Amino acid sequence: MTDLLTLPFLVTCAKFGLAFIPLMLLPFLIWGERKGASLIQDRIGPNRAAIPLMGGLRMFGFIHNMSDGIKLFFKESFVPAHAHKFWYFLAPMIPIIIAMLAPSVIPWFAPMTVQGPSGWVSISGQNLDADAGVLVLFALSGLSVYGVVLGSWASNSKYALLGGMRASAMMVSYEVSMGLSAAGIFLLAGSFGLTQIVEWQGSNPFLWGWALQPVGFVLFLVSLFAETGRPPFDVAEGESEIVAGYFVEYSAVRFALYYMGEYAHIVIASALVSTLFLGGYQVPFLPTETIRANLGVVGGGVLALLGLGVGAISLKIRRWARIYTTLKASDAADRAREYGFLATVSSVKAVVLLVSALAVGFLVRTTPAEVAGDLVHWPLWVNAATALVQLGVLLVKTAIICWVFIWVRWTLPRFRYDQIMSLGWKVMLNVALVNLLITALVAKLLVGGR
Amino acid sequence: MARVVPRPEMTLAEKAYIPEILRGMRVTWSHFLKGFNEPETLPVQSYPEVQWEIDRNYRAKHRLMKRPDGEPRCVACFMCSTACPARCIHIEATESDDPRIEKKPAKFDIDLLVCVFCGLCAEACPVDAIRMDTKVIALAADTRGKFVATKEQLLDWNPADYPASDTQSQKAPGGLLNAEARARWAQGDAT
Amino acid sequence: MIAQVYFGLFALVAVLCGATLVFARHPLNGAMALVGAMVSLSGIYALIQSPFLATLQVLVYAGAIMMLVVFVIMVLNTAKDSKTPGIDLVGILMSVVAFAFGLVFTGVLARTPVEARADSPRGTVQAIADTLFPVHGQSAWPLLFLAVGLVLLTAIVGAVLLSKRRLESPISVEDHA
């Protein structure tokens, strides 16, 4: 069993922790969805659930995730009569399994070299460094449709079955246009591997995927809306039975699994879009080697940005605290006190971050550990810090795309099912094909390469 | 004869749908910014800290009116109970101590879970004994039994909550105007 | 060593799924068993250095083809008609034939020399692309690729034509929403 302890295997086990990133981003996404939706609709979102600490901490409605989770955990979990038990139990697990597997192919940071027992070992940013990286993601999203299909059929309910059939037919049709719209990027980058695609995009934001393939970007985004079953393509959840579509017969924890699976898919889809079209982990205008060479300045810059951001948040919270004392609400005093506390905490954090930014900027110097011809090897802490910065950049881009998901949800009315199918097969497929054709022609004629 | 509604054809920009989506997204973004930056301008009411004004005419929980001596005006005529479409009023009559009045209610129960708040009982009462102007609209209890309003609960209202000019009820038996009218009648005045 | 464990796992799952497929009462149980067999086959492909093929196996077979099969089974609800008896004369005969065929197949395979190293990069995307679409030299692969594409196109066009209603019937008016 000695091959269990080799460095690559251990590194793979360690990188499995990255698979939890969508699940960790989930509470933020759900909170952002509810608050963002409510602010778009001119109302304040959930803001009542509180932790009984210091007279009630509401954290702007973030506690609702916890309370909803606890409520779903304790709800009665029933199995409908004449349901097909095995598939009924299995179906909700499938979206979660896919959501845990999919982040393995997304590169979370640039490849780095680490001193192994026998020379320098290269560690790539993704857990599954396969040459056919994106195809694995497409395969996994194809498998996730089984969750819908089995769940709807196992409920032994006609409405669930109808909803599930329509939803899965829609998902399968948009997988085709999803693959074809991204095909332009594969053509230009010359590989399916996601790390290669991100490296090809470089660090100039105007050379990322969205600028080189704008049509493909829009088409891919629209196909992703349909793949994840998000409005305006939510025939599964909203339409045929106004209740819950294919998971109408699920309650408690199984409903929570479906719900979490859907939101996890949104996070993974956003990460995929960011990787293919928005440069992935690349920091704008800062290639990886530049970051490693000037880690002090870059680290200081990042900390300074964070400090400024937290400072802005603390100013905003202070303003809200000031406003709340003028409102008639009888809990105004509590809210003002909580907001004051939060503002103080964030101000302190901002100051700490700014000070550490200055310290890091002036004090940190990085030197390469070994230069072997063309390859420069850096010490482990330099690589780790760079990886953290790039991970943060990818998470910011993912968050922006998740916000676009939420934004579009509350902008557009729902499409009718025949409109969805005709859009997927008659419009998007053709546009994607033409896009691919033009890309291939331009690539061949102008660049002359592959 | 069918009337043809002329619908304007979609322009090419509209058909592409993407520019329209972007226009819509700009609208929702402006709403989001307004809510984020100025939450005090949102038309949101922090219930239950802020409650809205309820009209006196709104049909809320019932109350039983009282005579000047504190007894309920109700003469147990069963007209409200008969008029109620939900059959939620249950009355038990007993002999009244006042010789001018025949009956009084021993038990007056309204099951508020069954009541549809239609106001027909208040319309049917000949002596203005029951009204629905308490402005109490939030009813909450732990068990079903606690939702049955008894005579004591219905008589339990504070006169200071209600307007002082309550002239219409004075004509009912026991009221001031009624007493004056009966006095004039006893004296032989025909008005 | 790890590879052996994985191979044992995948092979076991594939065999069990195959057995379930054959002996299952409900057609959907059999279809999902087939999906499981496809996925474990894909794992075996990945073990022999063919990641592209493994991915395509899941993407095409388990993700699309079996999805259609599962669709048909669910929508048409064929469970009600599956009253075929499990074991009868035809079944026993076919089992004997299949077993004999398996024996012959295994014998042939055991005698054929396999010329492949376990770590040759023949299964990567790059290698397959270089073989299919060679930049230099002549090869018949591109032509075969196009021919297969043409065959699939014929199948699609045929399916669409067969399912389309007659053009002169009043039902087939398209609704431009």
Side-chain angles (χ1 to χ4, degrees):
Chain A
M1 304 280 256
T2 53
D3 49 351
L4 270 179
L5 292 175
T6 54
L7 192 60
F9 187 75
L10 287 174
V11 164
T12 308
C13 288
K15 279 200 278 189
F16 185 61
L18 291 170
F20 286 97
I21 289 185
L23 289 184
M24 282 180 349
L25 281 181
L26 214 59
F28 291 96
L29 180 62
I30 297 182
W31 170 68
E33 159 108 54
R34 295 176 80 171
K35 273 302 219 191
S38 49
L39 286 174
I40 289 177
Q41 296 170 341
D42 280 345
R43 59 184 173 92
I44 307 176
N47 63 352
R48 291 279 167 171
I51 308 181
L53 256 185
M54 308 189 34
L57 270 184
R58 295 196 196 187
M59 302 298 292
F60 302 108
F62 195 72
I63 313 295
H64 277 261
N65 291 327
M66 270 199 277
S67 60
D68 284 342
I70 296 173
K71 169 203 79 168
L72 281 173
F73 189 67
F74 282 113
K75 256 187 171 181
E76 180 194 355
S77 192
F78 62 88
V79 179
H82 307 299
H84 303 90
K85 287 238 174 61
F86 182 66
W87 304 118
Y88 187 78
F89 286 118
L90 182 72
M93 302 185 202
I94 296 181
I96 297 286
I97 295 175
I98 306 291
M100 297 287 292
L101 285 177
S104 324
V105 294
I106 297 177
W108 299 100
F109 46 84
M112 55 182 173
T113 48
V114 165
Q115 175 89 39
S118 51
W120 291 91
V121 176
S122 168
I123 298 180
S124 94
Q126 51 198 38
N127 204 359
L128 185 66
D129 191 11
D131 215 5
V134 186
L135 288 185
V136 174
L137 257 174
F138 289 159
L140 287 173
S141 66
L143 280 182
S144 75
V145 185
Y146 277 109
V148 175
V149 159
L150 282 175
S152 67
W153 181 79
S155 312
N156 201 31
S157 151
K158 285 191 183 47
Y159 298 108
L161 186 65
L162 272 177
M165 290 300 130
R166 283 151 54 126
S168 45
M170 176 185 75
M171 286 179 182
V172 167
S173 351
Y174 278 89
E175 270 172 30
V176 178
S177 52
M178 190 164 85
L180 270 180
S181 30
I185 289 280
F186 302 148
L187 197 70
L188 291 176
S191 169
F192 281 127
L194 279 165
T195 310
Q196 282 84 356
I197 293 179
V198 175
E199 292 293 331
W200 163 77
Q201 289 187 56
S203 57
N204 186 359
F206 298 103
L207 287 181
W208 283 343
W210 63 274
L212 295 177
Q213 286 268 295
V215 176
F217 179 43
V218 170
L219 284 178
F220 193 70
L221 209 55
V222 173
S223 310
L224 273 179
F225 278 121
E227 264 303 300
T228 50
R230 282 293 278 191
F233 296 100
D234 61 341
V235 274
E237 287 159 19
E239 191 145 17
S240 41
E241 42 283 62
I242 310 190
V243 180
Y246 58 90
F247 45 81
V248 65
E249 298 282 350
Y250 286 87
S251 73
V253 178
R254 297 194 198 106
F255 173 76
L257 282 179
Y258 265 123
Y259 197 62
M260 273 175 17
E262 177 181 331
Y263 278 95
H265 279 215
I266 293 176
V267 174
I268 292 168
S270 312
L272 183 62
V273 169
S274 317
T275 308
L276 285 179
F277 290 95
L278 293 182
Y281 56 72
Q282 302 267 12
V283 183
F285 302 112
L286 287 177
T288 313
E289 283 304 312
T290 317
I291 300 182
R292 289 191 183 139
N294 309 324
L295 190 62
V297 175
V298 170
V302 165
L303 286 172
L305 268 177
L306 277 176
L308 286 174
V310 175
I313 291 177
S314 83
L315 284 175
K316 176 119 329 232
I317 298 181
R318 264 194 215 289
R319 182 176 175 273
W320 284 341
R322 242 188 358 253
I323 290 171
Y324 253 97
T325 50
T326 66
L327 295 180
K328 291 186 288 182
S330 72
D331 66 339
D334 286 340
R335 300 282 283 280
R337 190 192 53 208
E338 182 198 348
Y339 288 171
F341 168 70
L342 286 175
T344 317
V345 164
S346 42
S347 314
V348 165
K349 261 206 287 202
V351 167
V352 164
L353 281 170
L354 285 172
V355 165
S356 55
L358 284 174
V360 165
F362 282 115
L363 293 179
V364 169
R365 292 274 174 272
T366 63
T367 49
E370 191 182 311
V371 181
D374 216 6
L375 276 169
V376 184
H377 298 290
W378 296 88
L380 183 62
W381 66 274
V382 173
N383 283 327
T386 314
L388 254 147
V389 170
Q390 288 177 326
L391 181 66
V393 167
L394 180 56
L395 286 178
V396 165
K397 292 179 191 171
T398 308
I400 293 176
I401 302 287
C402 285
W403 171 246
V404 171
F405 265 85
I406 297 172
W407 193 4
V408 171
R409 174 180 191 167
W410 300 107
T411 305
L412 291 176
R414 186 178 296 138
F415 285 153
R416 227 172 47 213
Y417 187 65
D418 62 320
Q419 286 173 341
I420 292 178
M421 294 312 258
S422 77
L423 182 75
W425 291 106
K426 288 190 196 166
V427 173
M428 291 188 52
L429 193 64
N430 300 334
V431 175
L433 277 175
V434 168
N435 177 38
L436 185 60
L437 195 65
I438 294 180
T439 308
L441 279 174
V442 166
K444 190 68 183 172
L445 294 177
L446 285 188
V447 181
R450 45 171 84 236
Chain B
M1 196 44 208
R3 187 168 73 101
V4 176
V5 176
R7 295 197 191 266
E9 274 290 326
M10 287 200 286
T11 65
L12 183 62
E14 283 175 354
K15 273 203 188 133
Y17 208 55
I18 301 290
E20 287 298 309
I21 297 180
L22 293 174
R23 267 181 58 194
M25 283 168 80
R26 199 172 64 193
V27 169
T28 39
W29 180 246
S30 66
H31 274 263
F32 174 76
L33 284 181
K34 186 168 81 98
F36 190 70
N37 292 327
E38 299 150 9
E40 67 274 9
T41 58
L42 291 178
V44 170
Q45 189 180 47
S46 302
Y47 192 84
E49 288 91 18
V50 179
Q51 313 233 0
W52 61 90
E53 276 300 309
I54 301 174
D55 202 46
R56 184 63 70 184
N57 288 331
Y58 187 80
R59 288 193 295 273
K61 191 174 154 186
H62 317 73
R63 64 168 170 144
L64 281 176
M65 301 296 285
K66 300 179 190 163
R67 303 208 181 99
D69 56 359
E71 285 293 310
R73 274 187 217 160
C74 173
V75 290
C77 65
F78 290 86
M79 282 188 73
C80 57
S81 180
T82 312
C84 175
R87 302 187 208 158
C88 63
I89 305 184
H90 300 282
I91 306 174
E92 266 184 26
T94 181
E95 271 203 35
S96 156
D97 307 320
D98 192 334
R100 297 170 298 179
I101 304 169
E102 191 175 331
K103 293 191 287 185
K104 76 169 179 190
K107 213 162 73 96
F108 195 104
D109 286 339
I110 303 184
D111 190 349
L112 287 169
L113 279 179
V114 183
C115 173
V116 296
F117 294 91
C118 63
L120 289 177
C121 56
E123 284 182 26
C125 181
V127 299
D128 189 26
I130 183 168
R131 290 194 190 174
M132 296 183 73
D133 58 354
T134 54
K135 292 192 187 179
V136 173
I137 51 169
L139 307 166
D142 291 328
T143 62
R144 284 193 190 142
K146 291 195 188 136
F147 274 101
V148 177
T150 57
K151 187 175 78 160
E152 289 73 25
Q153 289 171 14
L154 290 170
L155 284 169
D156 180 26
W157 49 271
N158 186 0
D161 291 335
Y162 298 92
S165 61
D166 224 354
T167 53
Q168 187 238 339
S169 61
Q170 300 300 317
K171 295 189 193 152
L176 263 176
L177 289 179
N178 187 270
E180 292 166 7
R182 291 175 76 86
R184 284 199 302 274
W185 188 55
Q187 290 166 8
D189 196 345
T191 52
Chain C
M1 162 65 196
I2 285 285
Q4 307 256 357
V5 170
Y6 272 121
F7 172 73
L9 192 67
F10 287 136
L12 187 68
V13 171
V15 167
L16 282 177
C17 286
T20 314
L21 169 63
V22 170
F23 290 116
R25 289 269 157 166
H26 200 294
L28 190 80
N29 293 347
M32 293 308 293
L34 192 54
V35 173
M38 299 291 176
V39 172
S40 50
L41 272 181
S42 141
I44 296 180
Y45 292 155
L47 276 176
I48 58 172
Q49 318 298 331
S50 307
F52 187 59
L53 198 57
T55 315
L56 279 186
Q57 170 88 356
V58 174
L59 185 61
V60 172
Y61 263 105
I65 295 180
M66 290 313 300
M67 176 65 59
L68 289 181
V69 170
V70 164
F71 250 59
V72 166
I73 293 178
M74 285 182 184
V75 168
L76 296 185
N77 212 2
T78 52
K80 293 201 174 54
D81 303 330
S82 65
K83 297 280 188 230
T84 56
I87 301 182
D88 63 337
L89 182 62
V90 178
I92 296 177
L93 202 62
M94 291 311 295
S95 315
V96 167
V97 168
F99 193 60
F101 185 69
L103 276 181
V104 169
F105 204 58
T106 319
V108 168
L109 266 185
R111 285 191 198 149
T112 313
V114 181
E115 304 152 359
R117 291 192 330 262
D119 55 350
S120 63
R122 59 161 189 226
T124 57
V125 181
Q126 187 68 45
I128 292 184
D130 282 338
T131 316
L132 263 185
F133 307 107
V135 183
H136 309 289
Q138 290 180 346
S139 156
W141 284 110
L143 190 63
L144 291 174
F145 193 75
L146 286 176
V148 169
L150 211 56
V151 168
L152 286 173
L153 181 65
T154 318
I156 293 176
V157 169
V160 168
L161 273 180
L162 279 176
S163 57
K164 208 168 164 56
R165 293 201 189 96
R166 283 172 26 191
L167 285 178
E168 52 267 19
S169 102
I171 315 172
S172 75
V173 172
E174 279 190 2
D175 185 25
H176 290 288

